[in-house]
Amino acid sequence: EAGVTQFPSHSVIEKGQTVTLRCDPISGHDNLYWYRRVMGKEIKFLLHFVKESKQDESGMPNNRFLAERTGGTYSTLKVQPAELEDSGVYFCASSQDVWQGGSPLHFGNGTRLTVT
Amino acid sequence: AQSVAQPEDQVNVAEGNPLTVKCTYSVSGNPYLFWYVQYPNRGLQFLLKYITGDNLVKGSYGFEAEFNKSQTSFHLKKPSALVSDSALYFCAVRDRRRGTDKLIFGTGTRLQVFP
């Protein structure tokens, strides 16, 4: 079974540019999550999809961030325009169930975003 | 609010010695607790979880964690550390309140095992 894959693994962009991150969850996983870790801090929740619907987007920092999951398969996270404070590692995760409880999240390797 | 705290930024231990990585939590209701590990340039890997039942939970790679309700702690332990255990460890609590379902992570603890 293929794991969660993220692309690109690294991205270096200038302030003001646009970047799009992609996540392919494990096949059959309806739940898809985006998280972010800024250097040395905790891993923070950004948002949660159930299939193609946004279940919870309370962690999205501002309207420069746009996440989509068309068709309920892969997801993209676009940052436009990027700011210096957006630098960090962006993780995607997927899981099979929601309310059954206890189903661990499966994480991708992350995308390291550097905004200069 | 649901939260976890990892009071140590780094833990150093000699190979073969027991290790403990600390985690305390604050939740409303019964906690669902997790430990994840991140090796260099890799994603987070699930180690173990506590949902209900025995307070001592066994997980991958010989790790275990002890749930202590009175101390609101969920410390990660291993009887004999390996150099290959050196990594970043994250404690997390699942927030399943109405309308949301997500993991809330601590700041992470870097474990360094010396030969």
Side-chain angles (χ1 to χ4, degrees):
Chain A
E1 175 183 77
V4 177
T5 56
Q6 292 187 245
F7 182 83
S9 57
H10 294 82
S11 180
V12 181
I13 61 172
E14 293 183 353
K15 176 182 172 180
Q17 290 186 321
T18 298
V19 63
T20 300
L21 313 180
R22 172 170 170 145
C23 169
D24 287 75
I26 293 173
S27 178
H29 282 193
D30 289 340
N31 298 281
L32 186 149
Y33 303 79
W34 284 99
Y35 285 84
R36 174 175 75 172
R37 185 174 193 238
V38 174
M39 178 71 74
K41 306 222 171 160
E42 72 269 29
I43 299 170
K44 278 200 166 181
F45 167 83
L46 296 179
L47 89 160
H48 170 207
F49 283 100
V50 178
K51 296 184 180 179
E52 68 275 10
S53 299
K54 292 177 184 175
Q55 181 76 12
D56 178 0
E57 53 184 330
S58 61
M60 294 289 263
N62 50 61
N63 59 10
R64 295 185 293 103
F65 288 75
L66 175 64
E68 295 180 322
R69 193 183 182 196
T70 307
T73 54
Y74 71 91
S75 174
T76 58
L77 179 64
K78 181 191 289 187
V79 185
Q80 178 183 29
E83 297 289 344
L84 298 179
E85 65 264 25
D86 300 332
S87 296
V89 181
Y90 290 76
F91 291 104
C92 176
S94 70
S95 72
Q96 208 162 17
D97 71 30
V98 179
W99 303 114
Q100 304 301 317
S103 176
L105 297 188
H106 301 267
F107 282 81
N109 288 346
T111 294
R112 181 175 296 278
L113 175 64
T114 303
V115 182
T116 62
Chain B
Q2 321 283 74
S3 66
V4 293
Q6 294 181 245
E8 303 153 317
D9 289 336
Q10 179 152 333
V11 170
N12 299 317
V13 65
E15 187 174 33
N17 283 0
L19 68 89
T20 299
V21 182
K22 295 180 180 177
C23 172
T24 58
Y25 65 88
S26 174
V27 301
S28 54
N30 294 322
Y32 285 33
L33 296 160
F34 299 78
W35 276 101
Y36 282 81
V37 59
Q38 185 185 16
Y39 297 102
N41 300 314
R42 302 296 301 276
L44 283 81
Q45 295 180 29
F46 169 74
L47 272 181
L48 50 80
K49 67 182 180 186
Y50 172 82
I51 305 301
T52 187
D54 289 341
N55 290 342
L56 186 63
V57 179
K58 293 189 183 298
S60 306
Y61 312 122
F63 283 93
E64 57 191 27
E66 186 171 10
F67 172 68
N68 188 317
K69 188 172 183 178
S70 62
Q71 296 186 2
T72 62
S73 67
F74 189 56
H75 300 332
L76 181 70
K77 300 182 179 185
K78 188 172 182 179
S80 179
L82 300 172
V83 172
S84 57
D85 292 331
S86 299
L88 193 54
Y89 291 79
F90 290 94
C91 181
V93 61
R94 191 159 181 163
D95 184 354
R96 299 176 69 241
R97 292 170 293 175
R98 185 182 298 275
T100 193
D101 180 24
K102 58 183 179 278
L103 286 181
I104 297 172
F105 287 90
T107 50
T109 298
R110 184 165 298 283
L111 173 66
Q112 189 70 48
V113 182
F114 296 95

